[in-house]
Amino acid sequence: MNVLILAAGYATRLYPLTQNKAKPLLEVAGKPMIEWVMDNLAPVANLETIYLVTNNKFAESFQDWANGYTKRHPGLKFKIVNDGSTSDSDKLGAIGDINLVITREELADKDLIIVAGDNLFSEPLTNFVTQAKGSKATLATYDVGDLEAIKKYANITIDADGVITQFEEKPAKPHSTLAGIALYYFSKETLPLVTTYLAAGNNPDQPGRLIQWLYTRTPVKTFQIRGTWFDIGSKETLEEANQIFQRFVR
């Protein structure tokens, strides 16, 4: 299978920190956010190519990072994909970027793991991939443990088999504390539906919107991530993550 890391956003809410450095390259507990992603993906068996989609502003920076990471992990193969955008005003959006990479790199013949480059995980993602294999699509979830906190995320309701029965972005009245996070597994049979979604004129940004559209058309399974997961959306949460993830430094 292949991997696609989403890293083409401009993270304007974190300015000035992200004016000249991509958000996934900001350090948390001594290493770039994207390394928290990769260090927990690296143990997954049979990864072919790790595609990283970014923008024209930061493509060179990500290539430099990938070159250094590959020297330390020679078994991994990276390819940086430049989506051509230069600012927040002309970005393709996360779903637009997913479709760009699938089309340009001809990835529709293999299953695909998609993950946001600014996700922080404390534990390897091997169990997620093992469970997701054989499904049409699988969404990673995380229990935020608080009905107020879930209002910032996508709220998920599942059946006894872990299949999504309800998906609501930033709910005013959440049904549970289970959040959908930006880690996905799509089978090769499901990947063409990304183009179908966009062709219907749907919003090309925020990948959760794709899941919200998809689960009513094909079964989307879930897998609950254990350990600690963190979503950084502000300078305050960046500082909080720095403190929390110090204890996971290996």
Side-chain angles (χ1 to χ4, degrees):
M1 72 195 76
N2 293 304
V3 175
L4 172 57
I5 299 175
L6 304 175
Y10 291 86
T12 55
R13 285 184 297 170
L14 283 171
Y15 276 12
L17 294 176
T18 50
Q19 278 184 305
N20 296 305
K21 179 176 279 193
K23 180 181 175 184
L25 293 176
L26 294 178
E27 288 198 355
V28 170
K31 64 182 179 182
M33 291 185 208
I34 194 169
E35 292 200 12
W36 288 99
V37 175
M38 277 312 309
D39 287 353
N40 288 301
L41 265 177
V44 175
N46 301 316
L47 295 182
E48 292 198 19
T49 301
I50 299 155
Y51 295 89
L52 188 152
V53 63
T54 187
N55 52 58
N56 194 57
K57 184 176 181 179
F58 295 123
E60 187 175 343
S61 297
F62 278 111
Q63 186 64 66
D64 289 343
W65 169 82
N67 291 344
Y69 196 83
T70 305
K71 286 180 181 177
R72 301 192 303 276
H73 302 83
L76 298 174
K77 177 185 175 185
F78 286 90
K79 182 167 185 182
I80 308 301
V81 180
N82 184 345
D83 74 358
S85 72
T86 56
S87 70
D88 199 55
S89 62
D90 69 347
K91 66 182 181 183
L92 276 64
I95 306 170
D97 279 318
I98 292 168
N99 190 58
L100 172 76
V101 178
I102 291 171
T103 304
R104 182 187 292 178
E105 303 298 327
E106 300 179 344
L107 302 187
D109 62 340
K110 292 185 177 70
D111 297 350
L112 184 65
I113 300 166
I114 301 176
V115 59
D118 57 359
N119 268 318
L120 295 178
F121 302 99
S122 68
E123 295 188 2
L125 300 173
T126 46
N127 289 340
F128 167 77
V129 177
T130 299
Q131 169 118 356
K133 282 181 180 178
S135 70
K136 291 186 176 180
T138 296
L139 168 69
T141 61
Y142 185 79
D143 191 340
V144 298
D146 184 273
L147 286 172
E148 275 303 309
I150 193 66
K151 292 179 180 180
K152 298 187 296 182
Y153 303 108
N155 192 199
I156 307 297
T157 304
I158 59 177
D159 65 16
D161 296 318
V163 175
I164 296 175
T165 57
Q166 188 173 356
F167 183 110
E168 186 178 4
E169 284 279 5
K170 299 178 180 177
K173 297 180 179 179
H175 300 282
S176 72
T177 57
L178 197 62
I181 66 176
L183 171 61
Y184 317 93
Y185 182 99
F186 294 112
S187 70
K188 61 184 179 181
E189 291 80 15
T190 302
L191 287 178
L193 292 176
V194 177
T195 301
T196 304
Y197 168 91
L198 291 170
N202 290 298
N203 194 317
D205 205 10
Q206 299 180 9
R209 288 192 170 111
L210 176 61
I211 299 295
Q212 191 169 21
W213 174 88
L214 183 64
Y215 90 92
T216 62
R217 290 163 173 80
T218 192
V220 178
K221 292 189 175 182
T222 58
F223 179 84
Q224 189 171 332
I225 296 294
R226 305 296 177 180
T228 299
W229 166 82
F230 214 88
D231 175 49
I232 295 173
S234 66
K235 295 171 190 173
E236 291 73 24
T237 51
L238 178 60
E239 283 302 314
E240 187 180 353
N242 260 309
Q243 296 174 13
I244 291 172
F245 275 77
Q246 286 292 344
R247 68 178 185 267
F248 301 122
V249 175
R250 297 192 268 277

